[in-house]
PDB file of all heavy atoms in Angstrom:
ATOM      1  N   GLN A  98      -1.303 -14.333   2.387  1.00  0.00           N
ATOM      2  CA  GLN A  98      -2.495 -14.415   3.183  1.00  0.00           C
ATOM      3  C   GLN A  98      -3.557 -13.923   2.254  1.00  0.00           C
ATOM      4  O   GLN A  98      -3.870 -12.793   1.877  1.00  0.00           O
ATOM      5  CB  GLN A  98      -2.359 -13.352   4.249  1.00  0.00           C
ATOM      6  CG  GLN A  98      -1.953 -13.976   5.592  1.00  0.00           C
ATOM      7  CD  GLN A  98      -2.006 -12.960   6.558  1.00  0.00           C
ATOM      8  OE1 GLN A  98      -2.496 -11.837   6.443  1.00  0.00           O
ATOM      9  NE2 GLN A  98      -1.864 -13.396   7.882  1.00  0.00           N
ATOM     10  N   ARG A 113     -10.167  -7.498   8.938  1.00  0.00           N
ATOM     11  CA  ARG A 113      -9.861  -6.811  10.254  1.00  0.00           C
ATOM     12  C   ARG A 113      -9.413  -5.414   9.898  1.00  0.00           C
ATOM     13  O   ARG A 113      -9.788  -4.311  10.515  1.00  0.00           O
ATOM     14  CB  ARG A 113      -8.848  -7.545  10.944  1.00  0.00           C
ATOM     15  CG  ARG A 113      -9.423  -8.788  11.756  1.00  0.00           C
ATOM     16  CD  ARG A 113      -8.294  -9.735  11.907  1.00  0.00           C
ATOM     17  NE  ARG A 113      -7.788 -10.144  10.612  1.00  0.00           N
ATOM     18  CZ  ARG A 113      -6.702 -10.815  10.434  1.00  0.00           C
ATOM     19  NH1 ARG A 113      -5.949 -11.095  11.450  1.00  0.00           N
ATOM     20  NH2 ARG A 113      -6.274 -11.092   9.251  1.00  0.00           N
ATOM     21  N   PRO A 116     -11.008  -2.778   3.866  1.00  0.00           N
ATOM     22  CA  PRO A 116     -10.563  -3.146   2.537  1.00  0.00           C
ATOM     23  C   PRO A 116      -9.339  -2.198   2.056  1.00  0.00           C
ATOM     24  O   PRO A 116      -8.607  -2.641   1.257  1.00  0.00           O
ATOM     25  CB  PRO A 116     -11.811  -2.828   1.643  1.00  0.00           C
ATOM     26  CG  PRO A 116     -12.663  -1.987   2.533  1.00  0.00           C
ATOM     27  CD  PRO A 116     -12.305  -2.328   3.962  1.00  0.00           C
ATOM     28  N   SER A 118      -6.298  -0.774   3.438  1.00  0.00           N
ATOM     29  CA  SER A 118      -5.592  -0.593   4.658  1.00  0.00           C
ATOM     30  C   SER A 118      -4.510   0.452   4.544  1.00  0.00           C
ATOM     31  O   SER A 118      -3.768   0.708   5.477  1.00  0.00           O
ATOM     32  CB  SER A 118      -4.719  -1.916   4.964  1.00  0.00           C
ATOM     33  OG  SER A 118      -4.476  -2.603   3.794  1.00  0.00           O
ATOM     34  N   PRO A 120      -4.036   4.567   3.528  1.00  0.00           N
ATOM     35  CA  PRO A 120      -4.926   5.731   3.295  1.00  0.00           C
ATOM     36  C   PRO A 120      -4.748   6.369   1.811  1.00  0.00           C
ATOM     37  O   PRO A 120      -3.647   6.640   1.293  1.00  0.00           O
ATOM     38  CB  PRO A 120      -4.251   6.971   4.188  1.00  0.00           C
ATOM     39  CG  PRO A 120      -2.835   6.389   4.468  1.00  0.00           C
ATOM     40  CD  PRO A 120      -2.967   4.889   4.301  1.00  0.00           C
ATOM     41  N   ARG A 123      -3.219   9.893   1.023  1.00  0.00           N
ATOM     42  CA  ARG A 123      -1.738   9.913   1.148  1.00  0.00           C
ATOM     43  C   ARG A 123      -1.183   9.324  -0.098  1.00  0.00           C
ATOM     44  O   ARG A 123      -0.229   9.697  -0.756  1.00  0.00           O
ATOM     45  CB  ARG A 123      -1.315   9.127   2.414  1.00  0.00           C
ATOM     46  CG  ARG A 123       0.139   9.229   2.743  1.00  0.00           C
ATOM     47  CD  ARG A 123       0.470  10.584   3.421  1.00  0.00           C
ATOM     48  NE  ARG A 123      -0.242  10.654   4.777  1.00  0.00           N
ATOM     49  CZ  ARG A 123       0.149  10.121   5.768  1.00  0.00           C
ATOM     50  NH1 ARG A 123       1.347   9.726   5.939  1.00  0.00           N
ATOM     51  NH2 ARG A 123      -0.553  10.299   6.991  1.00  0.00           N
ATOM     52  N   MET A 137      -3.378  14.615 -13.399  1.00  0.00           N
ATOM     53  CA  MET A 137      -4.723  14.115 -13.053  1.00  0.00           C
ATOM     54  C   MET A 137      -4.738  12.593 -12.879  1.00  0.00           C
ATOM     55  O   MET A 137      -4.010  11.770 -13.603  1.00  0.00           O
ATOM     56  CB  MET A 137      -5.700  14.635 -14.120  1.00  0.00           C
ATOM     57  CG  MET A 137      -5.850  15.986 -14.399  1.00  0.00           C
ATOM     58  SD  MET A 137      -7.138  16.398 -15.447  1.00  0.00           S
ATOM     59  CE  MET A 137      -8.571  15.832 -14.527  1.00  0.00           C
ATOM     60  N   SER A 139      -7.112   9.370 -11.721  1.00  0.00           N
ATOM     61  CA  SER A 139      -8.495   8.885 -11.692  1.00  0.00           C
ATOM     62  C   SER A 139      -8.699   8.468 -10.135  1.00  0.00           C
ATOM     63  O   SER A 139      -7.855   8.097  -9.493  1.00  0.00           O
ATOM     64  CB  SER A 139      -8.731   7.731 -12.569  1.00  0.00           C
ATOM     65  OG  SER A 139      -8.336   6.601 -12.103  1.00  0.00           O
ATOM     66  N   GLY A 140      -9.954   8.462  -9.864  1.00  0.00           N
ATOM     67  CA  GLY A 140     -10.418   8.025  -8.426  1.00  0.00           C
ATOM     68  C   GLY A 140      -9.939   6.644  -8.140  1.00  0.00           C
ATOM     69  O   GLY A 140      -9.722   6.313  -6.904  1.00  0.00           O
ATOM     70  N   GLU A 141      -9.925   5.792  -9.257  1.00  0.00           N
ATOM     71  CA  GLU A 141      -9.603   4.384  -8.896  1.00  0.00           C
ATOM     72  C   GLU A 141      -8.172   3.991  -8.828  1.00  0.00           C
ATOM     73  O   GLU A 141      -7.688   3.128  -8.144  1.00  0.00           O
ATOM     74  CB  GLU A 141     -10.203   3.604 -10.043  1.00  0.00           C
ATOM     75  CG  GLU A 141      -9.766   3.847 -11.438  1.00  0.00           C
ATOM     76  CD  GLU A 141     -10.373   3.167 -12.538  1.00  0.00           C
ATOM     77  OE1 GLU A 141     -11.543   2.678 -12.305  1.00  0.00           O
ATOM     78  OE2 GLU A 141      -9.724   3.095 -13.560  1.00  0.00           O
ATOM     79  N   GLU A 156       5.277  -9.028  -0.243  1.00  0.00           N
ATOM     80  CA  GLU A 156       6.452  -9.688  -0.938  1.00  0.00           C
ATOM     81  C   GLU A 156       7.732  -9.412  -0.432  1.00  0.00           C
ATOM     82  O   GLU A 156       8.649 -10.392   0.026  1.00  0.00           O
ATOM     83  CB  GLU A 156       6.463  -9.437  -2.384  1.00  0.00           C
ATOM     84  CG  GLU A 156       7.491 -10.116  -3.148  1.00  0.00           C
ATOM     85  CD  GLU A 156       7.407 -10.245  -4.620  1.00  0.00           C
ATOM     86  OE1 GLU A 156       6.553  -9.566  -5.166  1.00  0.00           O
ATOM     87  OE2 GLU A 156       8.169 -10.991  -5.274  1.00  0.00           O
ATOM     88  N   ARG A 171      14.852 -13.888  14.955  1.00  0.00           N
ATOM     89  CA  ARG A 171      13.338 -13.795  14.911  1.00  0.00           C
ATOM     90  C   ARG A 171      12.982 -12.253  14.743  1.00  0.00           C
ATOM     91  O   ARG A 171      11.708 -12.077  14.764  1.00  0.00           O
ATOM     92  CB  ARG A 171      12.716 -14.263  16.226  1.00  0.00           C
ATOM     93  CG  ARG A 171      12.814 -15.878  16.234  1.00  0.00           C
ATOM     94  CD  ARG A 171      11.804 -16.481  15.147  1.00  0.00           C
ATOM     95  NE  ARG A 171      11.764 -17.933  15.140  1.00  0.00           N
ATOM     96  CZ  ARG A 171      12.546 -18.642  14.384  1.00  0.00           C
ATOM     97  NH1 ARG A 171      13.320 -18.146  13.610  1.00  0.00           N
ATOM     98  NH2 ARG A 171      12.424 -19.945  14.447  1.00  0.00           N
ATOM     99  N   LEU A 173      13.132  -9.087  12.394  1.00  0.00           N
ATOM    100  CA  LEU A 173      13.399  -8.545  11.019  1.00  0.00           C
ATOM    101  C   LEU A 173      13.928  -7.283  11.099  1.00  0.00           C
ATOM    102  O   LEU A 173      13.485  -6.311  11.551  1.00  0.00           O
ATOM    103  CB  LEU A 173      12.047  -8.497  10.159  1.00  0.00           C
ATOM    104  CG  LEU A 173      12.188  -8.562   8.685  1.00  0.00           C
ATOM    105  CD1 LEU A 173      10.928  -9.179   8.012  1.00  0.00           C
ATOM    106  CD2 LEU A 173      12.317  -7.061   8.207  1.00  0.00           C
TER     107      LEU A 173
ATOM    108  N   GLN B 104      -5.994  -1.305  15.930  1.00  0.00           N
ATOM    109  CA  GLN B 104      -6.713  -0.436  15.011  1.00  0.00           C
ATOM    110  C   GLN B 104      -6.819   1.035  15.620  1.00  0.00           C
ATOM    111  O   GLN B 104      -7.412   1.907  14.911  1.00  0.00           O
ATOM    112  CB  GLN B 104      -8.081  -1.053  14.820  1.00  0.00           C
ATOM    113  CG  GLN B 104      -8.021  -2.361  14.136  1.00  0.00           C
ATOM    114  CD  GLN B 104      -9.384  -2.999  13.968  1.00  0.00           C
ATOM    115  OE1 GLN B 104     -10.332  -2.592  14.561  1.00  0.00           O
ATOM    116  NE2 GLN B 104      -9.344  -4.009  13.230  1.00  0.00           N
ATOM    117  N   GLN B 128       5.322  13.329   6.594  1.00  0.00           N
ATOM    118  CA  GLN B 128       4.031  12.609   6.479  1.00  0.00           C
ATOM    119  C   GLN B 128       3.443  12.593   5.090  1.00  0.00           C
ATOM    120  O   GLN B 128       2.989  11.638   4.727  1.00  0.00           O
ATOM    121  CB  GLN B 128       3.049  13.599   7.273  1.00  0.00           C
ATOM    122  CG  GLN B 128       3.238  13.443   8.787  1.00  0.00           C
ATOM    123  CD  GLN B 128       2.160  14.452   9.350  1.00  0.00           C
ATOM    124  OE1 GLN B 128       0.914  14.379   9.139  1.00  0.00           O
ATOM    125  NE2 GLN B 128       2.562  15.403   9.904  1.00  0.00           N
ATOM    126  N   LEU B 131       5.537   9.658   2.974  1.00  0.00           N
ATOM    127  CA  LEU B 131       5.366   8.265   3.416  1.00  0.00           C
ATOM    128  C   LEU B 131       4.023   7.851   3.800  1.00  0.00           C
ATOM    129  O   LEU B 131       3.206   8.656   4.300  1.00  0.00           O
ATOM    130  CB  LEU B 131       6.383   8.127   4.565  1.00  0.00           C
ATOM    131  CG  LEU B 131       7.907   8.337   4.419  1.00  0.00           C
ATOM    132  CD1 LEU B 131       8.477   8.262   5.692  1.00  0.00           C
ATOM    133  CD2 LEU B 131       8.449   7.550   3.389  1.00  0.00           C
ATOM    134  N   ASN B 136       0.123   1.377   9.554  1.00  0.00           N
ATOM    135  CA  ASN B 136      -0.443   0.654   8.505  1.00  0.00           C
ATOM    136  C   ASN B 136       0.657  -0.297   7.885  1.00  0.00           C
ATOM    137  O   ASN B 136       0.370  -1.474   7.624  1.00  0.00           O
ATOM    138  CB  ASN B 136      -1.018   1.420   7.406  1.00  0.00           C
ATOM    139  CG  ASN B 136      -2.077   2.318   7.928  1.00  0.00           C
ATOM    140  OD1 ASN B 136      -1.829   3.179   8.817  1.00  0.00           O
ATOM    141  ND2 ASN B 136      -3.287   2.452   7.333  1.00  0.00           N
ATOM    142  N   HIS B 143       1.112  -9.104   9.513  1.00  0.00           N
ATOM    143  CA  HIS B 143       0.094 -10.169   9.226  1.00  0.00           C
ATOM    144  C   HIS B 143       0.686 -11.246   8.247  1.00  0.00           C
ATOM    145  O   HIS B 143       0.223 -12.345   8.243  1.00  0.00           O
ATOM    146  CB  HIS B 143      -0.993  -9.455   8.429  1.00  0.00           C
ATOM    147  CG  HIS B 143      -2.028  -8.811   9.390  1.00  0.00           C
ATOM    148  ND1 HIS B 143      -2.938  -7.989   9.107  1.00  0.00           N
ATOM    149  CD2 HIS B 143      -1.966  -8.881  10.749  1.00  0.00           C
ATOM    150  CE1 HIS B 143      -3.626  -7.729  10.071  1.00  0.00           C
ATOM    151  NE2 HIS B 143      -3.108  -8.100  11.129  1.00  0.00           N
ATOM    152  N   LYS B 150       9.242 -10.735  14.993  1.00  0.00           N
ATOM    153  CA  LYS B 150       9.328  -9.374  15.546  1.00  0.00           C
ATOM    154  C   LYS B 150       9.891  -8.579  14.348  1.00  0.00           C
ATOM    155  O   LYS B 150      10.649  -9.031  13.666  1.00  0.00           O
ATOM    156  CB  LYS B 150      10.229  -9.247  16.663  1.00  0.00           C
ATOM    157  CG  LYS B 150       9.644  -9.996  17.995  1.00  0.00           C
ATOM    158  CD  LYS B 150      10.591  -9.643  19.139  1.00  0.00           C
ATOM    159  CE  LYS B 150       9.988 -10.253  20.451  1.00  0.00           C
ATOM    160  NZ  LYS B 150       8.951 -11.168  20.414  1.00  0.00           N
ATOM    161  N   SER B 152      11.706  -4.831  13.552  1.00  0.00           N
ATOM    162  CA  SER B 152      12.490  -3.637  14.194  1.00  0.00           C
ATOM    163  C   SER B 152      11.793  -2.356  13.582  1.00  0.00           C
ATOM    164  O   SER B 152      11.257  -2.362  12.531  1.00  0.00           O
ATOM    165  CB  SER B 152      13.856  -3.679  13.978  1.00  0.00           C
ATOM    166  OG  SER B 152      14.219  -3.144  12.586  1.00  0.00           O
ATOM    167  N   VAL B 186      -4.212   9.473 -15.309  1.00  0.00           N
ATOM    168  CA  VAL B 186      -3.709   8.083 -14.998  1.00  0.00           C
ATOM    169  C   VAL B 186      -4.750   7.365 -14.354  1.00  0.00           C
ATOM    170  O   VAL B 186      -5.425   7.755 -13.352  1.00  0.00           O
ATOM    171  CB  VAL B 186      -2.418   8.309 -14.101  1.00  0.00           C
ATOM    172  CG1 VAL B 186      -1.945   6.883 -13.753  1.00  0.00           C
ATOM    173  CG2 VAL B 186      -1.295   9.043 -14.603  1.00  0.00           C
ATOM    174  N   TYR B 203       1.064  -9.139  -9.461  1.00  0.00           N
ATOM    175  CA  TYR B 203       0.143  -8.410  -8.849  1.00  0.00           C
ATOM    176  C   TYR B 203      -1.088  -8.090  -9.708  1.00  0.00           C
ATOM    177  O   TYR B 203      -2.126  -7.805  -9.217  1.00  0.00           O
ATOM    178  CB  TYR B 203       0.736  -7.107  -8.426  1.00  0.00           C
ATOM    179  CG  TYR B 203       2.005  -7.149  -7.502  1.00  0.00           C
ATOM    180  CD1 TYR B 203       2.504  -8.338  -7.157  1.00  0.00           C
ATOM    181  CD2 TYR B 203       2.428  -5.950  -7.019  1.00  0.00           C
ATOM    182  CE1 TYR B 203       3.715  -8.357  -6.231  1.00  0.00           C
ATOM    183  CE2 TYR B 203       3.646  -5.951  -6.114  1.00  0.00           C
ATOM    184  CZ  TYR B 203       4.182  -7.137  -5.757  1.00  0.00           C
ATOM    185  OH  TYR B 203       5.273  -7.127  -4.958  1.00  0.00           O
ATOM    186  N   TYR B 210      -9.816  -6.777  -8.153  1.00  0.00           N
ATOM    187  CA  TYR B 210     -10.216  -5.728  -7.331  1.00  0.00           C
ATOM    188  C   TYR B 210     -10.864  -4.549  -7.973  1.00  0.00           C
ATOM    189  O   TYR B 210     -11.851  -4.011  -7.622  1.00  0.00           O
ATOM    190  CB  TYR B 210      -8.893  -5.310  -6.554  1.00  0.00           C
ATOM    191  CG  TYR B 210      -9.047  -4.651  -5.192  1.00  0.00           C
ATOM    192  CD1 TYR B 210      -9.574  -5.364  -4.078  1.00  0.00           C
ATOM    193  CD2 TYR B 210      -8.623  -3.365  -5.018  1.00  0.00           C
ATOM    194  CE1 TYR B 210      -9.728  -4.730  -2.911  1.00  0.00           C
ATOM    195  CE2 TYR B 210      -8.658  -2.758  -3.766  1.00  0.00           C
ATOM    196  CZ  TYR B 210      -9.230  -3.560  -2.706  1.00  0.00           C
ATOM    197  OH  TYR B 210      -9.314  -2.847  -1.537  1.00  0.00           O
ATOM    198  N   ARG B 215     -15.453  -1.260  -9.874  1.00  0.00           N
ATOM    199  CA  ARG B 215     -16.098  -0.583 -10.990  1.00  0.00           C
ATOM    200  C   ARG B 215     -17.555  -1.077 -11.018  1.00  0.00           C
ATOM    201  O   ARG B 215     -18.469  -0.266 -11.290  1.00  0.00           O
ATOM    202  CB  ARG B 215     -15.503  -0.897 -12.251  1.00  0.00           C
ATOM    203  CG  ARG B 215     -14.195  -0.075 -12.558  1.00  0.00           C
ATOM    204  CD  ARG B 215     -13.535  -0.445 -13.795  1.00  0.00           C
ATOM    205  NE  ARG B 215     -12.392   0.313 -14.034  1.00  0.00           N
ATOM    206  CZ  ARG B 215     -11.480   0.175 -14.956  1.00  0.00           C
ATOM    207  NH1 ARG B 215     -11.367  -1.026 -15.506  1.00  0.00           N
ATOM    208  NH2 ARG B 215     -10.623   1.143 -15.214  1.00  0.00           N
ATOM    209  N   ASN B 232     -13.704  10.231  -6.788  1.00  0.00           N
ATOM    210  CA  ASN B 232     -12.537  11.175  -7.529  1.00  0.00           C
ATOM    211  C   ASN B 232     -11.978  12.208  -6.491  1.00  0.00           C
ATOM    212  O   ASN B 232     -10.932  12.547  -6.777  1.00  0.00           O
ATOM    213  CB  ASN B 232     -13.137  11.786  -8.717  1.00  0.00           C
ATOM    214  CG  ASN B 232     -13.232  10.671  -9.865  1.00  0.00           C
ATOM    215  OD1 ASN B 232     -12.494   9.689  -9.820  1.00  0.00           O
ATOM    216  ND2 ASN B 232     -14.091  10.944 -10.841  1.00  0.00           N
ATOM    217  N   GLU B 239     -10.392  10.845   3.941  1.00  0.00           N
ATOM    218  CA  GLU B 239      -9.457   9.884   4.628  1.00  0.00           C
ATOM    219  C   GLU B 239      -9.927   9.627   5.960  1.00  0.00           C
ATOM    220  O   GLU B 239     -10.021   8.547   6.514  1.00  0.00           O
ATOM    221  CB  GLU B 239      -8.106  10.435   4.567  1.00  0.00           C
ATOM    222  CG  GLU B 239      -7.013   9.591   5.144  1.00  0.00           C
ATOM    223  CD  GLU B 239      -5.683  10.196   5.106  1.00  0.00           C
ATOM    224  OE1 GLU B 239      -5.655  11.497   4.898  1.00  0.00           O
ATOM    225  OE2 GLU B 239      -4.663   9.526   5.129  1.00  0.00           O
TER     226      GLU B 239
END
Side-chain angles (χ1 to χ4, degrees):
Chain A
Q98 263 189 357
R113 284 151 296 169
S118 32
R123 190 80 61 89
M137 296 190 60
S139 85
E141 59 189 20
E156 177 165 12
R171 283 290 181 269
L173 197 150
Chain B
Q104 298 177 344
Q128 284 177 61
L131 302 175
N136 302 53
H143 281 171
K150 293 187 175 13
S152 80
V186 178
Y203 299 7
Y210 200 65
R215 284 173 173 166
N232 282 336
E239 187 178 16

